[in-house]
Amino acid sequence: MSQFLDISGLNARIDADGQEKEILRGVDLVIPPGEVHAIMGPNGSGKSTLSYVLAGREDYEVTSGSVSFQGKDLLEMEPEERAAAGLFLAFQSPVELPGVNNANFLRTAVNAVRRARGQEELDAVNFLKTVRAAAKELGMSPDMLKRNVNVGFSGGEKKRNEVLQMTLLQPSFAILDETDSGLDVDALRIVAEGVKRLRSPQFSALVITHHQRLLEYIVPDRIHVMAKGRIIHSGGPELAQQIDREGYTKFLAEAA
Amino acid sequence: MPAVTETREAVEKLGLSSYKWGFETDIDMDVAPKGLNEDIVRLISARKEEPEWMLEWRLAAFRSWLQMKEPEWAKVSHPPIDYQDAHYYAAPKKKPGPKSLEEVDPELLRTYEKLGIPLHEQAMLAGVEVPEGEQARMPVAVDAVFDSVSVVTTFRKTLEEAGVIFCPISEAIKEHPELVKKYLGTVVPVGDNFFSALNSAVFTDGSFVYVPEGVRCPMELSTYFRINSRNTGQFERTLIIVEDRASVSYLEGCTAPMRDENQLHAAVVELVAMEDASIKYSTVQNWYPGDENGRGGIYNFVTKRGACRGARSKISWTQVETGSAITWKYPSCILQGEGSVGEFYSVAVTNNHQQADTGTKMIHIGKNTRSTIIAKTISAGNSDSTYRGLVRVQPKASGARNFTQCDSLLIGDQCGAHTVPYIECRNAQARIEHEATTSKISEDQLFYCRQRGLSEEDSVGLIVNGFCRDVLKELPMEFAVEAQKLLQISLEGSVG
């Protein structure tokens, strides 16, 4: 029986200005259903690349390795198929879509995945009810639904908007790429609570972060340290404090 | 956006060919011999049973056309057009005279049905069952022009009761000669340009609208142009006159069958707005654009101009240009009346080998006249798109204001977008603003949308519709939905 998410020997590179650059160098990672794992690591260790490769961004070329997601070959799927299958990526830098109304975008996205999942589409009235309630829980003003997607949003508003989308799209697996960066303490708590509300035996998550603060709110089942394109160390939730105290030096030395 | 689902369905329905309006109607036609000379002009006038003054007007136009040269300043290229190698008159064989739906050839009715153009007043008035969740269609009066003639005009009775005249221009020439004589050629003079002179000589039909003083036209008026016959040019002429404190909203749509050869469409539209009058003129232009290798398609060389003659009058042009192999068109406003307002909202999409050179002219003559120009250009494939606009402020136009915004969106790396604004200001108190941007659909935006579950096509549609929103929101509701679908269909296959 295959695992919920099983990443094995994953290598990926990007073509940067005509030069092939190896970024992932043999990532092995297993996430069982219902578990929240965190990835920590120095800048440039490949954390964001891993999230992009899992979500299907085409700029990255997978050179070897495999990823199975709920028994399916994830790497064979288009980005929108991965979304329909339950994968959600909360972007580190959410993208602006000028002229595209936020509520309409959300509804289009929700109905696209509902269609693909064989569920009935939500009509405008039901959708608005759901989205307004979800936005309120995240402390977002109703005005943000009327604005254009992420256009003129503050850093904190953008991150809340990501969590709002995640809440509505009901993923079975969410990747949060530094969702805590740029958030003040209050916003961090609200966002963390949004993630916690989703926790269930049917929901797994991979939380990418630099700080242990987020992990105080969302206590992970496992923490992995990533460096130079590989997972070099894994442990329980207590690892966060250790990293906070001692940094990555020790792990880097061990790996070398 | 709600339209995206519909768009996706619309695209799916299209199957292999992305131009679903490309079918041909098999119908008995009365066609003039090929070629252009005084005899043809006389023949058209005779077929239309026109009065002598009209024939003279045409002949004068023809003679001035002979002296003129095709303009070459636009950024478009095409092989020379042989004006002798086309038919200048083609009409379905049918008795002329007052038309009712019963008299119209059923084959024609089926054609318009296929195009989705409502011609059945009965069905519409009786309130046909509206599927759940859809809005009831607002009744729209339609003038259907098939090749050279108007085949039917709906809702004329209802409009007559309100005092509005809405009929084919060929009929107006006979029934309302005083109005036609007074206004025809006063906004676009016969010799204005090569194509307007040609049109004045050989125009065959088009719509005529007259809204009397104080009347708000009770429904949207619309003309649907269809080119069907082979080797036929379409030269329609539209004249809209709106008296003091009156208003009208007018829409036009256009399609043509898919053919290998290029066909010429050279229309002239004249608008006249008197004191406190307002005219809203919307176009969804979807002539056949040619195939993906640039074969065939319509040459769309159109002169559209509106005169704001009365104080505080307003003329607003909104256009969505997705079709034609070549588009050459500059809907303009002459802002003569004090405090009059001109607006131009445009979306021009080019894909494959299409070429578009389009924009507007705002001529500020009166005091405190205002104009707004919002032009969105989207280029994909190997296409080339140019915005060309003129803002002219005359010496007496104190307090004149203009705001211009030109945005270009590029899809792929083989297309071009150009912006050519001309500004001529002869009054020191005028205020003119110009903003322009050029951008590409970014990989980031596409990936973001797809990560949220949207297909690549839907993502492009969403981003493009967002880009055009400022213009699309100016369209009447129903047209806006139609236009959104069209945008996506036009760009089909442009990414990936």
Side-chain angles (χ1 to χ4, degrees):
Chain A
M1 188 59 196
S2 63
Q3 286 286 353
F4 175 75
L5 179 77
D6 191 342
I7 305 171
S8 170
L10 189 63
N11 281 273
R13 64 183 178 199
I14 190 165
D15 183 8
D17 300 325
Q19 282 213 314
E20 300 284 354
K21 204 174 155 203
E22 206 76 33
I23 300 184
L24 299 184
R25 303 158 185 246
V27 176
D28 293 306
L29 180 65
V30 170
I31 301 180
E35 287 196 5
V36 172
H37 288 208
I39 290 192
M40 301 182 79
N43 284 333
S45 57
K47 305 187 297 291
S48 287
T49 298
L50 177 62
S51 69
Y52 280 144
V53 170
L54 292 179
R57 179 134 194 174
E58 278 155 6
D59 316 3
Y60 298 91
E61 188 196 347
V62 174
T63 49
S64 65
S66 66
V67 181
S68 102
F69 178 57
Q70 294 174 308
K72 278 180 275 192
D73 183 352
L74 189 72
L75 300 177
E76 281 297 301
M77 296 157 82
E78 296 291 333
E80 58 269 30
E81 292 170 342
R82 301 182 197 204
L87 185 146
F88 180 90
L89 170 62
F91 283 64
Q92 188 179 341
S93 314
V95 179
E96 298 183 1
L97 301 176
V100 180
N101 173 277
N102 204 20
N104 281 340
F105 176 67
L106 284 165
R107 184 169 164 225
T108 307
V110 165
N111 281 336
V113 300
R114 287 185 74 95
R115 260 197 319 273
R117 290 171 189 169
Q119 296 164 331
E120 214 174 299
E121 296 187 27
L122 290 181
D123 63 49
V125 178
N126 271 321
F127 172 77
L128 270 180
K129 251 191 228 163
T130 316
V131 72
R132 283 204 186 115
K136 203 174 163 197
E137 285 199 315
L138 289 165
M140 293 168 69
S141 75
D143 167 60
M144 279 176 64
L145 295 171
K146 292 184 198 145
R147 285 154 65 183
N148 294 333
V149 180
N150 293 328
V151 177
F153 284 28
S154 70
E157 285 174 330
K158 284 183 182 172
K159 296 303 174 74
R160 280 182 217 208
N161 202 32
E162 293 292 287
V163 178
L164 175 67
Q165 294 179 38
M166 177 169 72
T167 308
L168 294 171
L169 290 169
Q170 301 180 325
S172 54
F173 175 57
I175 306 165
L176 291 100
D177 189 1
E178 298 197 21
T179 302
D180 53 336
S181 66
L183 292 185
D184 59 34
V185 184
D186 292 330
L188 183 72
R189 192 171 36 82
I190 291 168
V191 164
E193 272 163 14
V195 178
K196 271 157 78 179
R197 269 194 293 274
L198 291 175
R199 284 195 89 155
S200 80
Q202 284 79 45
F203 175 78
S204 305
L206 185 62
V207 180
I208 297 171
T209 181
H210 273 294
H211 309 286
Q212 59 117 0
R213 209 171 55 189
L214 177 66
L215 304 180
E216 285 171 11
Y217 293 104
I218 312 171
V219 180
D221 296 285
R222 301 280 292 163
I223 294 181
H224 310 278
V225 178
M226 190 164 181
K228 292 181 182 160
R230 286 191 306 126
I231 306 285
I232 55 168
H233 187 88
S234 298
E238 69 287 348
L239 201 56
Q241 283 94 352
Q242 191 192 340
I243 291 169
D244 201 40
R245 279 195 314 272
E246 304 167 8
Y248 299 113
T249 330
K250 186 179 144 223
F251 303 112
L252 289 171
E254 276 172 17
Chain B
M1 278 176 160
V4 170
T5 314
E6 296 165 36
T7 308
R8 187 181 47 78
E9 284 155 7
V11 172
E12 276 166 7
K13 262 186 239 152
L14 300 182
L16 289 173
S17 155
S18 57
Y19 192 78
K20 68 169 169 176
W21 308 267
F23 61 87
E24 178 174 354
T25 307
D26 187 15
I27 195 163
D28 250 356
M29 296 293 288
D30 173 14
V31 181
K34 268 189 184 175
L36 182 52
N37 48 50
E38 288 207 5
D39 288 345
I40 291 288
V41 177
R42 285 175 200 281
L43 179 143
I44 292 170
S45 193
R47 282 284 201 281
K48 296 279 172 193
E49 298 166 6
E50 285 176 354
E52 189 60 26
W53 63 268
M54 195 64 231
L55 174 63
E56 289 308 320
W57 197 84
R58 285 178 182 278
L59 288 172
F62 179 69
R63 286 164 201 150
S64 66
W65 178 74
L66 287 175
Q67 309 299 317
M68 299 171 89
K69 277 206 159 57
E70 232 179 278
E72 284 170 351
W73 42 263
K75 194 177 161 36
V76 298
S77 62
H78 55 82
I81 299 170
D82 183 356
Y83 291 93
Q84 298 305 330
D85 190 36
H87 299 284
Y88 287 82
Y89 182 81
K93 274 190 186 154
K94 193 71 203 156
K95 47 187 176 291
K99 297 148 191 163
S100 71
L101 278 173
E102 288 72 40
E103 283 179 55
V104 178
D105 189 317
E107 192 58 43
L108 273 178
L109 287 182
R110 270 194 293 279
T111 300
Y112 283 91
E113 214 165 277
K114 267 165 99 174
L115 295 168
I117 310 302
L119 292 184
H120 292 274
E121 288 180 37
Q122 241 74 29
M124 288 171 59
L125 285 174
V128 207
E129 270 182 73
V130 179
E132 220 175 308
E134 271 180 40
Q135 261 187 323
R137 285 177 85 97
M138 279 284 294
V140 176
V142 180
D143 183 19
V145 177
F146 192 82
D147 287 334
S148 301
V149 294
S150 166
V151 289
V152 68
T153 310
T154 63
F155 285 109
R156 292 177 59 169
K157 262 219 151 61
T158 321
L159 290 167
E160 263 164 42
E161 281 162 20
V164 176
I165 304 170
F166 178 40
C167 67
I169 198 157
S170 52
E171 198 181 310
I173 290 167
K174 284 178 274 182
E175 307 288 326
H176 310 283
E178 68 298 343
L179 286 172
V180 177
K181 260 188 186 167
K182 187 172 170 192
Y183 291 103
L184 189 73
T186 62
V187 186
V188 179
V190 166
D192 185 79
N193 68 67
F194 182 82
F195 296 111
S196 71
L198 176 62
N199 173 286
S200 302
V202 301
F203 78 85
T204 44
D205 226 327
S207 299
F208 176 80
V209 178
Y210 178 79
V211 188
E213 200 176 320
V215 173
R216 295 172 66 94
C217 186
M219 59 177 78
E220 306 264 0
L221 304 184
S222 141
T223 300
Y224 197 88
F225 296 102
R226 174 80 178 163
I227 297 179
N228 186 63
S229 297
R230 202 169 276 281
N231 294 318
T232 307
Q234 191 177 53
F235 305 91
E236 87 263 3
R237 185 104 193 174
T238 297
L239 177 58
I240 300 179
I241 301 143
V242 179
E243 296 280 14
D244 294 356
R245 298 180 311 285
S247 68
V248 71
S249 170
Y250 177 92
L251 328 166
E252 64 171 356
C254 358
T255 57
M258 294 159 71
R259 298 196 188 287
D260 289 346
E261 85 256 10
N262 296 105
Q263 282 176 286
L264 181 60
H265 172 256
V268 172
V269 175
E270 295 178 281
L271 312 181
V272 178
M274 306 310 282
E275 211 170 289
D276 291 298
S278 107
I279 302 175
K280 187 175 173 59
Y281 193 106
S282 314
T283 304
V284 173
Q285 185 267 106
N286 187 29
W287 296 118
Y288 177 53
D291 67 11
E292 66 277 10
N293 299 315
R295 226 158 16 119
I298 303 290
Y299 290 165
N300 189 35
F301 300 146
V302 172
T303 306
K304 288 181 168 174
R305 197 172 300 160
C308 285
R309 295 210 175 138
R312 297 168 305 278
S313 55
K314 178 178 172 182
I315 289 180
S316 179
W317 300 100
T318 306
Q319 60 172 21
V320 175
E321 305 279 320
T322 60
S324 298
I326 299 178
T327 297
W328 178 99
K329 149 175 191 197
Y330 316 88
S332 307
C333 296
I334 298 167
L335 303 167
Q336 206 175 330
E338 203 172 315
S340 58
V341 175
E343 294 174 337
F344 175 73
Y345 300 98
S346 168
V347 171
V349 183
T350 52
N351 196 359
N352 299 321
H353 291 268
Q354 281 176 276
Q355 307 172 62
D357 192 306
T358 182
T360 184
K361 286 189 273 185
M362 294 290 175
I363 313 294
H364 293 258
I365 298 171
K367 284 197 180 69
N368 298 317
T369 45
R370 280 175 293 147
S371 62
T372 304
I373 300 170
I374 310 278
K376 306 276 182 177
T377 300
I378 300 150
S379 321
N382 291 293
S383 68
D384 237 317
S385 189
T386 303
Y387 166 81
R388 189 183 302 277
L390 169 67
V391 176
R392 177 185 289 157
V393 180
Q394 304 281 62
K396 290 191 177 137
S398 297
R401 266 156 52 195
N402 161 264
F403 174 76
T404 301
Q405 186 179 340
C406 302
D407 298 322
S408 311
L409 187 69
L410 301 169
I411 302 175
D413 54 10
Q414 300 296 315
C415 56
H418 317 271
T419 302
V420 190
Y422 303 83
I423 296 173
E424 298 173 13
C425 186
R426 298 196 176 83
N427 183 301
Q429 269 110 53
R431 206 167 80 205
I432 297 172
E433 292 172 63
H434 182 95
E435 288 178 13
T437 65
T438 302
S439 54
K440 285 182 80 167
I441 287 196
S442 74
E443 287 297 318
D444 286 338
Q445 289 176 324
L446 272 181
F447 179 62
Y448 190 69
C449 294
R450 294 180 75 189
Q451 207 305 302
R452 298 304 183 244
L454 276 68
S455 69
E456 190 162 24
E457 298 277 352
D458 280 354
S459 303
V460 172
L462 189 83
I463 294 164
V464 167
N465 275 310
F467 175 76
C468 302
R469 203 187 58 111
D470 292 345
V471 173
L472 296 179
K473 69 174 197 233
E474 296 296 327
L475 285 173
M477 237 304 254
E478 276 188 42
F479 255 35
V481 175
E482 193 65 33
Q484 290 193 358
K485 288 184 197 171
L486 256 184
L487 285 184
Q488 182 147 6
I489 291 162
S490 309
L491 292 170
E492 206 181 346
S494 60
V495 181

